[in-house]
Amino acid sequence: MTPLRLGYLYGFGAYLLWGFFPLYLKLLRPAGPLEILAHRIVWSVVFVALLLAAMRSIGFLRALARRPRALAGIAVAAALIAVNWGTYIYGVNSDRVVETALGYFINPLVVVLLGVTVLRERLRPAQWAALGVGGLAVAVLTVDYGRLPYLALTLALSFGGYGLVKKRLGLPAAEGLFVESAVLALPALGYLGWLTLNGDAAFGHVSAGHTVLLVLAGAATAIPLLLFAGAANRLPLTNLGMIQYLAPILQLACGVLIFHEPMPPARLAGFALVWVALIVFTVDAVRHTRRTRATARAKTQTPALAPQ
């Protein structure tokens, strides 16, 4: 199998798992969102530690310990991903899967906005148009909900910020996830201990199947991230960007078709505006990439002038 085909296989695998993740989270009830989040963190550490031990990659910790700025960046990334995970779990288990899907639809637009505000990047006209349509979509959805779609915005901003920090850190997927989860593991264990002492823990008190599902939350977190890393290393960024819409499409389908969440006309109009913004954004990205490649090819094919 060629690296490109393997990249597509990894990419589709990652986004399919993320797309159907609401179905898994629903199975973890009656555990509350914070308990689920704590188990997700703790078992992620265990799963990735075993994986790194099998890969004999534990030695990276010694090198990382000598980089205090990198450790500070990892702490920021850990806080952002904890907010993202916790918000998503809360959204799914409070029957707001549609709004969580919206968060991942608008995430690419938030990433562009972060590029302008944080990295001082200059946008092309089509990108400005996509941001404008995305802003209009948020306004329409605010009117429909009677409030800001704060779950969607929190998910998009936290994941966009997480991606920005991760890009600057440049850590491999497994190693990065291990350290981020390890940073959060102590408070997570403390919270689980407090729940157990007060008799409020669902872990071990619902059924054997429920306990196993909570333990498997670590693998369910790590596997899609590792598949995504494999895809990112093999696919062009534009191709990977096209595949990323698979996850929120599947999440939206779960919310509407399986969980029967409402989708009134005004909400549908807001989502339609988001999709228009994404189409403009994606078409512009594809055209820009093709022009850049064509220019690069033209430069390499232009014969050098013979010396006079």
Side-chain angles (χ1 to χ4, degrees):
M1 185 178 293
T2 65
L4 189 66
R5 287 186 178 180
L6 191 59
Y8 277 114
L9 185 64
Y10 286 154
F12 278 111
Y15 286 113
L16 280 171
L17 289 172
W18 278 328
F20 289 115
F21 202 51
L23 300 178
Y24 177 78
L25 289 178
K26 290 281 190 180
L27 297 175
L28 301 183
R29 295 190 295 188
L34 285 179
E35 184 177 1
I36 295 171
L37 174 62
H39 278 289
R40 190 175 181 182
I41 291 166
V42 170
W43 296 114
S44 291
V45 174
V46 174
F47 179 84
V48 181
L50 293 173
L51 183 64
L52 291 174
M55 295 166 56
R56 298 183 178 179
S57 299
I58 296 294
F60 82 98
L61 288 171
R62 288 192 295 272
L64 190 60
R66 295 191 292 269
R67 298 169 57 195
R69 293 186 66 179
L71 291 173
I74 289 168
V76 173
L80 288 168
I81 201 62
V83 169
N84 184 269
W85 288 353
T87 303
Y88 187 74
I89 294 166
Y90 171 77
V92 170
N93 283 347
S94 60
D95 301 320
R96 291 156 72 178
V97 176
V98 168
E99 190 175 345
T100 64
L102 173 64
Y104 291 107
F105 274 124
I106 65 177
N107 180 67
L109 303 177
V110 168
V111 170
V112 172
L113 187 61
L114 287 173
V116 175
T117 57
V118 179
L119 302 179
R120 304 298 180 187
E121 295 176 354
R122 297 183 65 180
L123 297 188
R124 297 183 294 275
Q127 292 175 311
W128 280 116
L131 282 178
V133 175
L136 179 60
V138 171
V140 170
L141 289 164
T142 298
V143 172
D144 172 64
Y145 282 113
R147 55 169 173 77
L148 274 173
Y150 62 87
L151 281 183
L153 293 174
T154 301
L155 287 170
L157 288 167
S158 59
F159 199 68
Y162 174 74
L164 178 64
V165 174
K166 291 280 284 184
K167 180 179 176 66
R168 291 188 166 183
L169 288 172
L171 291 176
E175 287 85 343
L177 178 61
F178 173 76
V179 180
E180 290 156 19
S181 300
V183 168
L184 300 168
L186 191 59
L189 284 169
Y191 179 72
L192 292 176
W194 180 79
L195 282 180
T196 302
L197 288 173
N198 284 278
D200 296 326
F203 184 76
H205 294 90
V206 177
S207 67
H210 183 266
T211 301
V212 170
L213 286 172
L214 281 173
V215 171
L216 290 176
T221 297
I223 289 172
L225 283 171
L226 297 174
L227 289 173
F228 173 78
N233 290 335
R234 292 169 175 83
L235 292 179
L237 191 59
T238 49
N239 297 36
L240 191 61
M242 296 286 283
I243 300 174
Q244 76 175 336
Y245 301 130
L246 177 62
I249 287 170
L250 291 173
Q251 291 165 5
L252 178 63
C254 287
V256 175
L257 301 178
I258 298 177
F259 304 131
H260 306 293
E261 294 184 16
M263 194 70 170
R267 193 166 305 169
L268 186 59
F271 270 83
L273 285 170
V274 171
W275 296 328
V276 169
L278 291 176
I279 290 169
V280 171
F281 174 77
T282 304
V283 169
D284 174 73
V286 170
R287 287 179 175 175
H288 179 72
T289 301
R290 287 177 178 173
R291 283 197 299 267
T292 302
R293 289 176 180 171
T295 302
R297 282 197 300 267
K299 287 181 179 179
T300 57
Q301 293 171 3
T302 301
L305 293 175
Q308 300 296 319

